[in-house]
Amino acid sequence: MNDRITVEELAELVRRTAGVTVSPEEFRQRGDFGFDTFGIDSLGLLGVVGELENRYGTPMPPDAERCRSPRQFLDLANSALMAQA
């Protein structure tokens, strides 16, 4: 298992938990755009957070579901995982 969440993994989690399909390339190109730009609301992001907590067995930071952009979310989530390693 990776110790970092990739853009590909985020795209797959968003598809499965929020029901929104966004390509990894789109997340790469528009990583600083708000999640709402991609059609992902706070409830969808909360689903992603819950899935990551289950998968990695570690809590995400309390403000993870309030991240505004994919880049901000990945930075925060990966920092939390690195701290747990």
Side-chain angles (χ1 to χ4, degrees):
M1 186 174 301
N2 292 336
D3 56 354
R4 289 187 61 77
I5 301 161
T6 64
V7 175
E8 289 79 11
E9 187 174 4
L10 179 60
E12 175 61 20
L13 285 168
V14 165
R15 187 188 64 73
R16 281 191 311 141
T17 63
V20 178
T21 301
V22 181
S23 72
E25 191 56 36
E26 200 172 349
F27 274 151
R28 270 192 212 79
Q29 291 174 354
R30 298 172 27 183
D32 291 321
F33 284 50
F35 276 111
D36 55 343
T37 304
F38 302 102
I40 303 162
D41 62 12
S42 58
L43 204 54
L45 196 52
L46 192 57
V48 172
V49 169
E51 181 66 27
L52 288 171
E53 289 177 339
N54 289 337
R55 182 178 294 180
Y56 290 97
T58 187
M60 290 289 114
D63 50 346
E65 70 269 8
R66 289 194 292 274
C67 285
R68 297 286 175 228
S69 71
R71 188 178 328 276
Q72 183 185 25
F73 181 83
L74 286 171
D75 288 348
L76 185 68
N78 283 322
S79 291
L81 289 176
M82 296 299 273
Q84 296 293 321

